[in-house]
Amino acid sequence: MSKAVVAVVGSAMMDLTAYAQHLPEPGQTLVGDLFTTGFGGKGANQAVIAAHCGAEVHFVGKLGRDLFGDSIAQNFKNLGINSVHIERSDTATGVAHIWVDGDGENRIIIIPGANSEIESAKAVAAVSSINDLSVVVAQCEIKQEVTLAAFRAAKARGCTTILNPAPFETLGTELLELTDWLIPNETEFGQLHGELPSNDQVLKRFRPGKSSVVTLGSRGAVLIHADGSIFRVAAPVVSAVDTTGAGDAFVGTFAYGLASALTAQDSLNLGVHVASLSVTKKGAQSSYPTVEQIATLS
Ligand code: RIB
């Protein structure tokens, strides 16, 4: 089988996470259980899990010239992720402040920093020059105009494009047209579509003629084919300690699946199982299953 080559045009952040049984109300101070510093950012998370799955991954992004930037760059290097298209800036590396409660649910505020400075021309140059590239993945933690430019370049050379519309923002018509696979979670689906994905009829009306996946947390995920047919995968029952980065684990694994010529349904199945494993550990990238664990799922 030929190598699955994936480019992620997106964000990299340092995650600063506080864990507490209960989260404070406005004006309240509470004692928490744990603080961690870990590698995150939706783009970086998706790149890392795609690499764990076995893809050749190229990350296109921007880091600050600071300690967080150095440490994220070293992490990519350690994982064999191609960093030729990562630029550095005098603006600080992006950070995410995360609160995780006793049920493993999170609240996140991102400060994008250098992520906001990725330039369209650089993204186009990267996507146009990577050998044997088959899948280009993006999210909404960088400027939408950069994603649009990257997807134009991706479609011009016949790549498959995947957009994870997180965090939610209104998406332009051309970007939606250039997106082969749109992968929102339930909340984002509701924001994009105006109603929640409560039944098959709602799902079929989402993007007629285009393909999508809606991630459903502990209930798995649902694939909506371009012809309107629906395919569901239930998630295995696990004990969740931290859901941070689970959606990214799904997206990166799904991208790997498509790039390695798995069917969309097999990619969905693998993505759901990898994401389910990720919620059993704390953190985003720190929670991701290893290469060896993923091999047992295929
Ligand atoms: O999706 C989870 C990610 O969102 C975290 O890693 C955090 O960095 C934010 O980007």
Side-chain angles (χ1 to χ4, degrees), residues 13 15 40-42 45 96 98 108 110 141 244-245 248 284:
M13 313 263 177
D15 287 354
K42 296 182 195 303
N45 295 345
I98 304 178
I108 304 177
I110 61 163
E141 289 183 332
T244 306
D248 301 327

Side-chain angles (χ1 to χ4, degrees), residues 154-233:
K155 293 315 297 174
R157 61 177 295 191
C159 293
T160 297
T161 52
I162 297 175
L163 179 61
N164 172 219
F168 169 77
E169 62 185 29
T170 303
L171 301 173
T173 312
E174 186 186 356
L175 180 59
L176 283 168
E177 196 50 43
L178 291 168
T179 299
D180 295 314
W181 289 91
L182 189 64
I183 310 187
N185 65 17
E186 282 177 276
T187 306
E188 292 145 4
F189 180 98
Q191 290 166 308
L192 287 162
H193 191 52
E195 53 186 331
L196 289 170
S198 48
N199 60 58
D200 285 5
Q201 293 317 310
V202 175
L203 293 167
K204 282 174 204 265
R205 286 196 296 270
F206 183 45
R207 290 211 314 155
K210 303 284 276 182
S211 305
S212 304
V213 170
V214 187
T215 56
L216 302 170
S218 60
R219 288 179 289 113
V222 55
L223 190 157
I224 316 163
H225 285 288
D227 66 3
S229 57
I230 305 277
F231 177 74
R232 290 177 187 271
V233 170

